[in-house]
Amino acid sequence: MLQNLTAAAVKKIALACGFDLAGIAGASPAEDYGRYHAWVQAGAAGEMRYLTDRRGELRQDPANLLPGVKSILCVGKLYNSPYPYSTALSDAERGWISRYAWGEDYHDTLREGLSRVAKELERAAGESFEHRICVDTAPILERSYARLAGLGWIGKNTCLINQQKGSWFFLGELLLNLELQPDSPPPDRCGKCRRCIDACPTTAIVPSSNGDWTIDSRLCISYFTIEKRGAIPAEHHSSMGKNVFGCDICQDVCPWNGRAPRTEAAAFQPREFAPPLDRLAAMTEDEFRSVFRTTPVWRAKYAGFLRNIAIAMGNSREPKFLLALGKLARDSRPEVSEPARLAIRKLQDGAVADAGLPTMRA
Ligand code: SF4
Ligand code: SF4
């Protein structure tokens, strides 16, 4: 019988299936949809159509995803590993790939884990029931429900933060047509801290309409390097530093990640940690596919990735990259060649300045 499944039993099954966090939220319409809507209306979603088109409206109510949904099982899966934070990496010849993207694509791993949970729940209940698995791309305000399910609070850097586990975890949800006792949200423990706001190199963490903090994607390095297609406005290149896919700075500096636990999951063990920029720039499209096809980096696409590498090379102050940049500057795609030309100019100006000579420009 379905109703024999208690909230405690459901969470126990989720943890036994390999998740590190599990909690239950009621499936009522999203209470902070208004805030999300205002964020989109203000243009802060940039060009991310999946947030601004009809799929955005679906986020208002999880019943749009599963009619009759009563409860949401929210789960978290750690992905932290024992490698340094980006704020501790001073090697200018290396590019930074966001921590979450070092292993397998999490969408498949979380989906498989949640399918296992659903099967175990059906086995425990002795009958099948309607459910829907959501991982990241499904139109649901997942951090809001994860907060209601007690998994953490939403920090000023807009990440979900768990008091014991920090913020290096993926989120997933299992929508259930099963009435379960919901958990309670934890208190917001950011307090007066504003380390993430002060550390953000592009001042992308901005006050929101309701007095909280939010991220203006149009200023965020993660958005530029992953979601933005075409050119990245030149005025942002310098502040992008060494980031070639995503940006971890506002999580690296968060005190709740100071001693964040690490994952044992094989899928999230690093394949690429801060790879040398010249090796990345030399990758053919086939090599890019074979290295990154099954990782989140694939989302940037080959041309976008080369664009990001050109910008990082320009920020490196390393004249040794001039040769690789010369090749990128001859690329037929302007999104690659233009930042490469700007980077060459930057390295040349830097070399002249380092030699104490006046900069000449035609
Ligand atoms: S990801 Fe980077 S650029 Fe974006 S808000 Fe955080 S620190 Fe700023
Ligand atoms: S750095 Fe400080 S303000 Fe930012 S999310 Fe972490 S605790 Fe909150």
Side-chain angles (χ1 to χ4, degrees):
M1 275 292 290
L2 269 184
Q3 289 306 333
N4 287 343
L5 274 178
T6 61
V10 169
K11 288 184 274 187
K12 196 170 166 196
I13 286 173
L15 296 174
C17 286
F19 288 104
D20 300 294
L21 293 166
I24 306 290
S28 41
E31 58 183 34
D32 54 358
Y33 179 77
R35 188 162 63 119
Y36 171 77
H37 186 66
W39 179 79
V40 168
Q41 289 302 305
E47 295 163 21
M48 292 185 278
R49 292 275 307 280
Y50 64 95
L51 297 177
T52 58
D53 65 13
R54 214 190 119 264
R55 287 167 288 181
E57 284 166 32
L58 292 176
R59 285 163 206 265
Q60 209 159 355
D61 190 346
N64 290 325
L65 302 178
L66 180 71
V69 59
K70 295 194 178 73
S71 307
I72 303 178
L73 167 65
C74 297
V75 293
K77 180 83 185 158
L78 291 173
Y79 61 82
N80 189 26
S81 62
Y83 283 81
Y85 286 176
S86 68
T87 41
L89 183 81
S90 55
D91 186 344
E93 296 184 18
R94 292 176 176 274
W96 189 260
I97 290 176
S98 191
R99 186 164 293 267
Y100 83 89
W102 294 351
E104 295 288 319
D105 192 326
Y106 59 96
H107 294 93
D108 297 341
T109 313
L110 262 75
R111 187 165 285 281
E112 277 165 26
L114 284 167
S115 298
R116 235 178 7 258
V117 173
K119 279 202 190 77
E120 287 301 318
L121 291 178
E122 288 183 337
R123 207 168 57 82
E127 59 182 294
S128 60
F129 54 87
E130 280 189 282
H131 60 270
R132 175 157 177 181
I133 292 170
C134 300
V135 179
D136 183 35
T137 48
I140 181 169
L141 295 184
E142 60 177 3
R143 273 171 297 176
S144 306
Y145 288 103
R147 185 186 79 84
L148 292 173
L151 266 53
W153 72 96
I154 299 175
K156 290 175 191 163
N157 61 7
T158 75
C159 294
L160 195 81
I161 305 174
N162 180 276
Q163 190 176 3
Q164 283 78 34
K165 301 196 188 292
S167 66
W168 305 116
F169 54 87
F170 298 117
L171 292 174
E173 302 80 39
L174 187 60
L175 274 49
L176 300 163
N177 68 349
L178 176 64
E179 206 79 65
L180 293 168
Q181 178 66 37
D183 286 289
S184 322
D188 181 329
R189 296 182 193 276
C190 279
K192 293 201 168 109
C193 175
R194 47 174 292 138
R195 283 191 206 180
C196 53
I197 299 164
D198 296 338
C200 174
T202 54
T203 60
I205 305 176
V206 294
S208 73
S209 51
N210 68 351
D212 286 343
W213 293 87
T214 189
I215 290 185
D216 187 337
S217 303
R218 295 164 299 182
L219 297 172
C220 177
I221 297 165
S222 286
Y223 168 73
F224 290 146
T225 54
I226 302 172
E227 303 289 343
K228 178 90 176 72
R229 301 291 170 244
I232 296 171
E235 68 264 28
H236 298 302
H237 289 191
S238 293
S239 42
M240 288 170 61
K242 57 184 174 282
N243 295 292
V244 295
F245 183 87
C247 166
D248 289 336
I249 295 169
C250 56
Q251 293 191 81
D252 287 347
V253 300
C254 180
W256 297 99
N257 281 335
R259 274 181 296 185
R262 294 152 184 176
T263 184
E264 299 290 322
F268 302 136
Q269 296 312 312
R271 285 185 181 185
E272 288 288 340
F273 170 75
L277 286 167
D278 47 4
R279 180 158 69 72
L280 295 177
M283 274 184 174
T284 63
E285 192 155 5
D286 281 347
E287 284 163 345
F288 176 72
R289 182 179 296 108
S290 89
V291 174
F292 293 117
R293 179 72 184 91
T294 58
T295 80
V297 176
W298 183 245
R299 186 166 176 81
K301 309 286 180 235
Y302 182 54
F305 196 55
L306 291 181
R307 170 199 64 187
N308 302 343
I309 292 160
I311 294 170
M313 283 181 155
N315 291 334
S316 71
R317 300 177 66 85
E318 287 289 339
K320 69 175 267 194
F321 291 142
L322 282 169
L323 197 63
L325 282 168
K327 190 166 155 245
L328 295 177
R330 292 190 296 278
D331 194 284
S332 60
R333 292 156 292 203
E335 69 193 281
V336 179
S337 58
E338 282 170 15
R341 277 188 217 117
L342 286 175
I344 289 171
R345 217 180 293 158
K346 208 171 186 177
L347 292 185
Q348 287 170 338
D349 287 354
V352 170
D354 288 346
L357 300 170
T359 307
M360 301 284 286
R361 179 75 40 80

